[in-house]
Amino acid sequence: MTTKIGLLVGRDGALRELRTALVRTADGAGGCVVVEGPAGIGKSHLLEALAAEASRLDVAVASSRAAELDRVTPFATLLRVLRSHVPRLGVGILEDSESSALWRVDQLRAAMEHQVRDRPLLVLLDDARLADELTALALRVLVPALASSPVLWVLARRPGPVRGVAQTAQEAIDWLIGEGARRVRLDPLDDEAVAELCAHTLDATPDRTVLKLAARCGGNPFLLCELLTALRQAGQLRVDDGQATVVGTGLPADFLSAVHGRLSDLSERVRRLVDAGAVLARPFTLHEAAGLLGCSAVSLVPAATDAVTSGALVDHGDELAFRHELVREVVYGALSGPVRSALHREAATVLQEEGRSAVEAAEHLVLCGRPGTERAKEVLTKAVAQVTPTAPGTAADLTLQMLELFDETDAGRPRLVADAVRLLAAAGRVEQAVELGEQVLRSGLDAPSEAALLIGLSEALKHAGRNSAVIDYTDRGLSREGVSEMARAQLQAIRAHALLAAPDLSAAQHAGAEAAKLGARTGQHAATVFGMVACSVTAQADGSLDEAVRRAREAVRTADLAGGEASQRHPRLWLGRALAAADQFAEADAVFELGQREANQLGTAWSQPLWHYYRAELRMAAGRLDDANAEAEAGIRVCEQFAVRALTVPLLGLLGQVSIHQAELSKAREHLHRGQALLAGGLGAGPEDLAWRMALLAEARGQPEAAMEALTEIYDGFPHRLLLLTQDSLAGVQLVRIAQRAGAEAQAKAAASATRLLAERNPTVLSLAGAAAHAEGLLHGDLVTLRYAVQAYRSSPRVLAKASALEDTARAERKAGQRSAAVELLRAALGHYQSCGAQRDATRVARRLNRLGARRALTADAPVSGPWDTLTESELRVVRLVARGLTNRETASRLFLSPHTVDSHLRHSFTKLGVNSRVELTRQVLVHDRND
């Protein structure tokens, strides 16, 4: 009989790698390992061996296998893992269908963080390629989020191309590998390992005849063991003096014939039970099988006992299951078409009666091949409605299957097609959505159906960052006769936001105003809110900050009153940004904090990168460069996790700008070139997002002509587009400086004039007055105007802008022969730059002080004596709270950050301190504090 040890023959290297990861987890470090190989290669046995090793190391184990029909039930895979093995995690979190998927994942993350403080955890997921859409999302979030906690994830999967929802799971695993998960590939066994496995299986030395037959299995251990077992049961193996020989005729040619041979020996009642299990395609109860077969559960007890005894099925707690998915596939494949169809149709009815998910019942109706009854349509429609809010990819696949099976003349087909396009786009499968959408649009739709299709497609394309396509599709919808005002309101709102990246914002302002008007008239509150915030952005771009704030506040009030979809437009995003532009940093921060909490509760994935981007902008304006970097990095990770790409380019641009200030030009170049590649690939972005940052890099590298080339659109936009100057009050000065160095006097004057115009339109914002005076003083070399700029900036929260004004005024004082005044101003500028972590700027000012002979006056940073001295204040705050036992979520709540931002600070801290777990971090904190 084959032993577990026998099935691990030839896997010493893989076992060693997995055990090493497990030992690290037992010591407090997290991680992820992906085990890959074809069916039957030994992945499951490796996972079983690792689970046994975990028990010896006192590591808790949560393990299960994804099933074929998991993909149609949200969180099905993760629920099975956690419910069966780690009940303390409170799986009711995942079953709370009233809450958003992202909120549930976040709650589960907090629960897991709490549990593993007492005992490390090993999570084993076999056949992970079959995981449902929300389990795939959870893996993207939980694996990196728990990387510093003692949680080891081991995911086993078959390689190969997949489609539909299964692609979501495979892509999530590929993403984890790209993020650093270890990959362990299981190759076919070599000849020596095959011979050893034969000896284990037969308890005898295989001779040439056995090895020749074994070679047919291609080094696959499961197929080999099945073949040898079939030979033994058929009396076709003889063992003499410890040597095994093949005898007889009619040998099985392969695994399929071996399995068929074994199944033919089963009784009729056992075979019927096995057939029912193959159709259910997951671990099943006797009651479910009985319903499928039209008999009582009690009558199946003897058959179940015989099935387990014969090895056809295995005991799986309260359920029965196949010992290997390959066996189930063979049994299922052997069913005739009519039998298979009848069993699937019956399964749909049984599962409904059992209270199972409508989605699972719908999948059986689709698989039966003939669901075209009104009852079937009702079940399928209910299933799509049930799963759409949380798993649009699953809903899209169900809808596509319905389209294939329903008659072309069905009256509801056009709207069904529109739903399929919308769902595909919402699931991030944009190319597939566009392909189907174009195909259907060519065939002709009625006006309401076409409008519904174009709205869903346009909105998803907007979140994907493809603004030009959005404009084309919304234009098409708005030009179609017979489109309702409610649909027009939605189209105008989406169009307005796509137009915000255009040089001329008048079209965006018009579309936003139309959306707000039509939305208010028709009760389409979401369109009203989205139109209002577009008008807020255009007002900000025009330099009317009071109007921008007013419009955004009105949008917030409307959303709060209307609730529902309107609140999911999150107007506080744009209110916070308008407040920040008006120097109201404290209120902006509070608005972002409240808004992001609401977004987390509602689970609106598209908004997550925006919260991080706008908070990163605010941190940089306040001179908190490390915090800005952490927020932007968190935003990039969220874009990748949730496949929401629209903000990727601006986030990369902001990271590049921070890197320039921190004297990391190669890193800045890497970020900005990555943004350029995405832009070339079709993502949309305004000139403020990337071109501005590319110009700053060129200027830092001494290339004023290249900087001017990048800035053409920004200079040409003055005085009508002032958005950059409202986002970054230092921009006007830098634009003047770049133009002067390139000898472009007209552009320098245009930048100074635009900066003055913005200040005049907002007389109460002192930073803008300071920026205008700074730009004009730099343009004309006017010391008096520069001194005024320094005075205006004294109460400004914009530290970098203040430091720049001090630096330029010092240069003018030095030129006027006022050395002592110049030294004093440079010292103040140096202090501000150093407090911000702006190393490049601080180095430049320090050199100027040196040239003035003020070496003793330098207030340089204290020499770094160890890794603890490299931690920023924010990183220290996070480190100390985590070392006290707080989870990332608790730490985030205490510091008014998002858990993603805490993750960024922790990753930086771990790198600087040379640790990779919370346990090691806590030890270092204790040692450091004891010696401090």
Side-chain angles (χ1 to χ4, degrees):
M1 183 174 180
T2 306
T3 65
K4 294 287 179 63
I5 294 176
L7 287 168
L8 292 173
V9 165
R11 302 304 182 205
D12 293 345
L15 265 175
R16 188 163 46 248
E17 192 162 353
L18 288 170
R19 283 171 176 157
T20 299
L22 183 61
V23 169
R24 290 180 67 251
T25 299
D27 289 338
C32 180
V33 181
V34 177
V35 180
E36 292 184 332
I41 204 69
K43 302 184 295 295
S44 301
H45 291 288
L46 269 179
L47 267 56
E48 289 176 19
L50 192 64
E53 185 73 15
S55 297
R56 287 191 288 272
L57 293 172
D58 194 31
V59 174
V61 179
S63 70
S64 191
R65 176 192 299 273
E68 184 72 29
L69 288 182
D70 278 7
R71 62 191 178 86
V72 297
T73 306
F75 285 126
T77 310
L78 198 57
L79 275 166
R80 187 181 302 112
V81 173
L82 301 181
R83 182 187 290 116
S84 301
H85 301 277
V86 194
R88 281 199 297 158
L89 284 178
V91 295
I93 293 169
L94 296 183
E95 294 173 324
D96 178 14
S97 59
E98 296 300 314
S99 299
S100 75
L102 291 181
W103 183 86
R104 284 182 273 172
V105 171
D106 186 53
Q107 296 296 305
L108 177 61
R109 162 191 170 152
M112 293 181 75
E113 281 186 308
H114 274 291
Q115 175 165 324
V116 298
R117 288 190 294 197
D118 301 325
R119 188 182 183 195
L121 173 65
L122 170 65
V123 181
L124 300 170
L125 179 55
D126 207 352
D127 260 344
R129 68 191 176 90
L130 299 176
D132 63 275
E133 184 177 358
L134 290 190
T135 293
L137 170 66
L139 290 174
R140 283 178 177 264
V141 175
L142 294 176
V143 172
L146 296 171
S148 61
S149 298
V151 182
L152 176 61
W153 305 78
V154 180
L155 313 173
R157 68 167 178 177
R158 299 186 200 177
V162 289
R163 295 190 308 166
V165 175
Q167 183 177 355
T168 305
Q170 291 284 56
E171 288 176 348
I173 297 170
D174 289 338
W175 182 80
L176 291 172
I177 292 171
E179 288 291 297
R182 297 293 297 262
R183 176 186 255 163
V184 176
R185 290 191 176 93
L186 298 187
D187 296 319
L189 300 178
D190 59 24
D191 292 344
E192 183 180 346
V194 167
E196 187 178 349
L197 181 53
C198 288
H200 274 289
T201 304
L202 302 173
D203 198 22
T205 302
D207 71 359
R208 182 182 57 81
T209 62
V210 175
L211 294 178
K212 182 178 179 181
L213 193 61
R216 296 180 182 178
C217 297
N220 186 299
F222 178 77
L223 304 186
L224 175 57
C225 291
E226 286 294 305
L227 188 59
L228 294 176
T229 302
L231 289 171
R232 172 182 279 169
Q233 291 180 345
Q236 294 177 308
L237 274 175
R238 184 180 67 225
V239 177
D240 290 326
D241 297 328
Q243 187 171 60
T245 302
V246 176
V247 296
T249 58
L251 298 175
D254 54 21
F255 167 68
L256 292 179
S257 55
V259 172
H260 284 308
R262 295 180 67 182
L263 292 175
S264 65
D265 294 334
L266 298 175
S267 67
E268 178 63 22
R269 64 182 183 179
V270 174
R271 183 57 193 263
R272 290 182 68 220
L273 175 63
V274 170
D275 288 347
V279 168
L280 288 169
R282 55 164 173 75
F284 60 95
T285 66
L286 269 187
H287 198 270
E288 289 171 332
L292 195 56
L293 298 173
C295 61
S296 69
V298 174
S299 69
L300 285 180
V301 171
T305 302
D306 291 348
V308 173
T309 302
S310 68
L313 297 173
V314 294
D315 190 330
H316 199 273
D318 295 332
E319 300 172 318
L320 295 171
F322 285 89
R323 55 197 167 81
H324 200 284
E325 177 63 14
L326 277 175
V327 177
R328 190 200 71 80
E329 290 174 4
V330 171
V331 174
Y332 185 79
L335 294 172
S336 67
V339 170
R340 188 185 302 172
S341 179
L343 287 173
H344 275 302
R345 182 178 288 276
E346 193 62 34
T349 301
V350 169
L351 292 174
Q352 282 184 282
E353 292 173 351
E354 291 282 322
R356 288 276 187 173
S357 162
V359 184
E360 187 175 352
E363 181 74 2
H364 283 289
L365 281 175
V366 170
L367 291 172
C368 83
R370 295 181 290 106
T373 66
E374 289 306 314
R375 169 101 176 121
K377 291 179 182 179
E378 181 183 331
V379 172
L380 288 164
T381 302
K382 180 181 177 182
V384 171
Q386 177 181 314
V387 78
T388 292
T390 53
T394 302
D397 282 340
L398 278 172
T399 307
L400 289 172
Q401 289 170 321
M402 290 164 64
L403 283 172
E404 291 178 5
L405 297 166
F406 285 5
D407 191 86
E408 291 283 343
T409 60
D410 192 294
R413 184 178 173 83
R415 181 52 64 98
L416 197 62
V417 171
D419 288 344
V421 170
R422 176 178 54 81
L423 290 166
L424 285 167
R429 291 151 64 180
V430 175
E431 298 304 327
Q432 192 179 355
V434 171
E435 182 181 351
L436 177 61
E438 287 293 345
Q439 175 187 337
V440 175
L441 288 169
R442 284 193 297 271
S443 66
L445 290 173
D446 60 78
S449 296
E450 182 172 343
L453 187 155
L454 290 170
I455 288 167
L457 194 54
S458 298
E459 186 150 17
L461 286 166
K462 178 69 190 76
H463 297 326
R466 294 172 54 176
N467 292 325
S468 59
V470 173
I471 294 168
D472 290 342
Y473 281 123
T474 52
D475 275 350
R476 180 169 183 164
L478 291 166
S479 64
R480 174 77 190 265
E481 291 185 7
V483 174
S484 69
E485 283 197 336
M486 185 176 288
R488 289 181 179 279
Q490 293 171 279
L491 288 165
Q492 289 282 20
I494 300 166
R495 175 180 168 78
H497 283 261
L499 287 166
L500 290 175
D504 182 2
L505 292 183
S506 59
Q509 198 281 331
H510 174 75
E514 278 293 300
K517 181 177 69 176
L518 290 171
R521 192 156 67 209
T522 61
Q524 180 50 252
H525 301 300
T528 301
V529 169
F530 222 34
M532 285 177 175
V533 296
C535 290
S536 173
V537 175
T538 58
Q540 185 174 334
D542 190 49
S544 304
L545 299 186
D546 286 344
E547 175 68 5
V549 171
R550 186 188 69 78
R551 288 278 196 167
R553 288 195 195 279
E554 187 179 354
V556 168
R557 283 193 297 272
T558 302
D560 288 347
L561 286 171
E565 190 182 350
S567 64
Q568 295 179 29
R569 296 301 184 181
H570 300 300
R572 285 183 174 82
L573 278 164
W574 292 276
L575 173 58
R577 200 183 201 197
L579 289 167
D583 274 4
Q584 298 176 50
F585 283 15
E587 186 179 356
D589 213 3
V591 166
F592 286 144
E593 166 66 16
L594 174 60
Q596 192 163 16
R597 286 181 185 276
E598 291 175 346
N600 291 340
Q601 183 70 34
L602 291 170
T604 41
W606 69 266
S607 75
Q608 299 298 321
L610 273 167
W611 297 110
H612 289 291
Y613 180 64
Y614 290 164
R615 292 182 89 159
E617 274 191 333
L618 183 60
R619 301 289 180 261
M620 187 165 70
R624 295 164 56 184
L625 293 179
D626 286 309
D627 290 346
N629 191 75
E631 287 285 357
E633 284 185 350
I636 291 286
R637 292 180 69 81
V638 169
C639 285
E640 294 169 346
Q641 285 176 329
F642 301 152
V644 182
R645 304 178 64 204
L647 258 288
T648 308
V649 173
L651 283 161
L652 287 168
L654 195 145
L655 279 173
Q657 188 172 357
V658 171
S659 296
I660 292 168
H661 281 297
Q662 293 177 330
E664 296 179 322
L665 297 190
S666 60
K667 186 182 289 187
R669 182 176 181 274
E670 180 183 334
H671 292 314
L672 297 177
H673 282 205
R674 184 180 163 197
Q676 280 185 310
L678 291 172
L679 209 59
L683 283 189
E688 299 85 3
D689 298 325
L690 192 65
W692 165 235
R693 277 80 183 238
M694 290 297 300
L696 292 178
L697 178 62
E699 191 269 341
R701 299 172 70 185
Q703 300 168 340
E705 291 79 11
M708 288 298 297
E709 184 178 349
L711 291 170
T712 300
E713 194 172 333
I714 288 176
Y715 284 119
D716 289 349
F718 293 144
H720 304 294
R721 186 182 177 105
L722 306 176
L723 190 59
L724 174 62
L725 305 183
T726 68
Q727 293 171 3
D728 183 351
S729 66
L730 186 53
V733 174
Q734 291 168 306
L735 287 167
V736 170
R737 183 180 293 117
I738 290 170
Q740 284 183 322
R741 288 177 179 173
E745 199 62 28
Q747 284 85 348
K749 289 179 179 178
S753 177
T755 308
R756 169 55 60 192
L757 176 64
L758 180 61
E760 290 171 351
R761 288 179 178 174
N762 302 277
T764 62
V765 183
L766 291 179
S767 292
L768 297 182
H774 189 178
E776 289 174 346
L778 188 63
L779 178 68
H780 301 296
D782 186 338
L783 177 57
V784 173
T785 306
L786 286 170
R787 285 172 177 168
Y788 174 78
V790 169
Q791 290 298 321
Y793 269 126
R794 289 207 181 278
S795 58
S796 168
R798 298 180 182 273
V799 183
L800 285 172
K802 185 185 304 184
S804 179
L806 289 164
E807 181 183 357
D808 282 335
T809 305
R811 291 176 61 199
E813 294 282 11
R814 174 70 180 89
K815 191 174 181 180
Q818 304 296 322
R819 178 188 173 281
S820 59
V823 168
E824 183 180 350
L825 290 168
L826 287 174
R827 284 175 177 165
L830 180 62
H832 287 311
Y833 284 138
Q834 288 176 329
S835 72
C836 296
Q839 185 58 45
R840 178 172 176 270
D841 305 292
T843 300
R844 181 181 62 247
V845 171
R847 286 173 181 160
R848 285 178 175 158
L849 277 166
N850 284 339
R851 286 196 292 270
L852 289 173
R855 292 183 180 84
R856 292 183 58 194
L858 286 180
T859 55
D861 289 329
V864 175
S865 59
W868 280 89
D869 296 322
T870 67
L871 296 182
T872 67
E873 289 184 12
S874 295
E875 289 165 356
L876 277 170
R877 284 194 293 269
V878 168
V879 161
R880 294 199 178 282
L881 289 175
V882 168
R884 285 167 49 188
L886 272 67
T887 65
N888 281 17
R889 193 161 174 267
E890 291 167 339
T891 301
S893 179
R894 187 77 62 88
L895 298 177
F896 302 104
L897 300 171
S898 83
H900 295 288
T901 308
V902 170
D903 287 343
S904 291
H905 283 310
L906 265 185
R907 280 196 303 275
H908 289 161
S909 302
F910 278 24
T911 300
K912 292 175 179 179
L913 297 177
V915 301
N916 58 17
S917 74
R918 291 166 182 264
V919 174
E920 292 179 56
L921 178 67
T922 302
R923 290 176 188 149
Q924 284 218 18
V925 170
L926 291 174
V927 171
H928 178 266
D929 289 351
R930 188 165 53 244
N931 297 332
D932 196 14

